[in-house]
Amino acid sequence: TPATLWETKESHVRALALSPAGRVLAGTSGGGLLVELDGKGNAFTLWDPDRPEVAALAVTAAGATLAPCSRPR
């Protein structure tokens, strides 16, 4: 059954990925944040690049998170 994992004031979530720990990573548009969701309703901002959008997410085999962003504000 679908469930709400997190509610945000961002305009939308642009990208999703899984962290090496199995947590959901979300890249947003509006504030351009990289957020980690713990599955219990909590969200933690991992990165605020001062860009309006995190356009995509990828996690490498070594566990690094790649998060390309839009142009600066």
Side-chain angles (χ1 to χ4, degrees), residues 15-46:
L16 295 170
L18 283 178
S19 74
R23 292 184 174 184
V24 174
L25 301 174
T28 70
S29 180
L33 303 174
L34 173 59
V35 178
E36 181 180 63
L37 309 177
D38 69 358
K40 299 174 185 173
N42 300 307
F44 307 93
T45 300
L46 300 179

Side-chain angles (χ1 to χ4, degrees), residues 30-33 47-54 69-73:
L33 303 174
W47 187 43
D48 182 354
D50 195 31
R51 308 267 174 132
E53 182 175 80
V54 174
C69 300
S70 59
R71 293 178 180 224
R73 293 184 179 136

